[in-house]
Amino acid sequence: GQQLNQSPQSMFIQEGEDVSMNCTSSSIFNTWLWYKQDPGEGPVLLIALYKAGELTSNGRLTAQFGTTRKDSFLNISASIPSDVGIYFCAGQSPRGSQGNLIFGKGTKLSVKP
Amino acid sequence: NAGVTQTPKFQVLKTGQSMTLQCAQDMNHNSMYWYRQDPGMGLRLIYYSASEGTTDKGEVPNGYNVSRLNKREFSLRLESAAPSQTSVYFCASSEKRWGEQYFGPGTRLTVT
């Protein structure tokens, strides 16, 4: 089945640093979604991308839909302690296929205050 | 507006017992989903309901059944629980079949 490779698996950063993570796939997707999950909670949608090349921001978060439609990137600028959590990418296949969301395995972000 | 709600929040079962996980959404969404989340495995789709009255299998449906009771509610049933079903279960909903999904807070299930 389809798989997403999300990297890095985990990262430790100093407060104030910028963070980058990405997801790649062997298949093309029509939609890329980025979620954040806090401990003991459900994933919360951060950014949705629907068009190749699209660049979308949500506060300090910026995500891009790769031009090949096989990858996506999430950047967090000037990280703060509340950015700690697990970030998941999810890709959705074009209509006509089963079209279910495929999730990456997550990037665990830890911030040193 | 509560979004997606799930009950119970925690549950412990013995092998062979049955139970139903409840999910409801108040966003008037057409599609609903059940996922399980295991360490190192990410989120995997168990079953989904693209619209009221329809249900379909996802990636890992074995050992589960679902019911789309009405537009708001989508339940997941374990008929005979097994230790391999120890997991965190999330319900999600979306307005359209292809689109943004919104998740509930999860049910943490342990089968001993």
Side-chain angles (χ1 to χ4, degrees):
Chain A
Q2 293 174 311
Q3 288 189 340
L4 287 182
N5 296 312
Q6 186 170 352
S7 65
Q9 286 187 326
S10 63
M11 53 195 316
F12 290 87
I13 60 169
Q14 290 287 344
E15 183 176 351
E17 286 184 347
D18 296 343
V19 173
S20 292
M21 59 191 80
N22 69 83
C23 276
T24 60
S25 169
S26 57
S27 306
I28 62 171
F29 288 120
N30 273 7
T31 300
W32 283 98
L33 305 176
W34 284 93
Y35 289 87
K36 183 191 177 205
Q37 186 175 25
D38 292 326
E41 303 291 333
V44 174
L45 183 64
L46 298 173
I47 293 177
L49 301 161
Y50 293 102
K51 193 174 177 182
E54 181 181 355
L55 187 70
T56 297
S57 293
N58 178 4
R60 292 178 296 104
L61 278 62
T62 301
Q64 184 165 24
F65 193 140
T67 53
T68 66
R69 295 171 64 193
K70 293 182 178 182
D71 55 9
S72 181
F73 307 87
L74 176 70
N75 294 313
I76 305 173
S77 63
S79 58
I80 59 177
S82 62
D83 290 334
V84 162
I86 302 178
Y87 292 80
F88 291 97
C89 63
Q92 196 161 42
S93 301
R95 296 190 187 204
S97 66
Q98 193 172 25
N100 295 322
L101 270 184
I102 308 298
F103 283 84
K105 294 184 178 180
T107 295
K108 186 175 182 180
L109 183 63
S110 302
V111 178
K112 298 177 186 177
Chain B
N1 192 341
V4 179
T5 56
Q6 293 183 236
T7 56
K9 199 164 179 62
F10 300 94
Q11 183 71 49
V12 178
L13 292 178
K14 294 186 188 303
T15 298
Q17 287 185 318
S18 62
M19 79 160 294
T20 300
L21 281 64
Q22 306 288 351
C23 173
Q25 52 92 8
D26 63 2
M27 295 176 283
N28 201 35
H29 284 170
N30 290 305
S31 301
M32 298 184 73
Y33 313 82
W34 277 105
Y35 291 89
R36 59 178 289 171
Q37 185 176 39
D38 302 294
M41 297 295 291
L43 285 150
R44 293 182 293 169
L45 184 65
I46 304 171
Y47 270 94
Y48 66 97
S49 171
S51 60
E52 188 178 354
T54 68
T55 61
D56 283 288
K57 296 178 181 179
E59 181 185 356
V60 288
N62 291 345
Y64 306 95
N65 284 301
V66 291
S67 296
R68 183 75 182 266
L69 304 170
N70 48 55
K71 191 171 185 179
R72 288 187 64 248
E73 298 172 289
F74 188 39
S75 63
L76 178 73
R77 183 160 178 84
L78 286 69
E79 289 292 350
S80 179
S84 61
Q85 294 178 305
T86 294
S87 188
V88 183
Y89 291 86
F90 289 101
C91 177
S93 71
S94 63
E95 182 179 358
K96 303 174 185 177
R97 174 70 183 91
W98 284 266
E100 303 160 18
Q101 293 183 17
Y102 296 87
F103 285 80
T107 294
R108 283 137 190 88
L109 176 67
T110 302
V111 183
T112 61

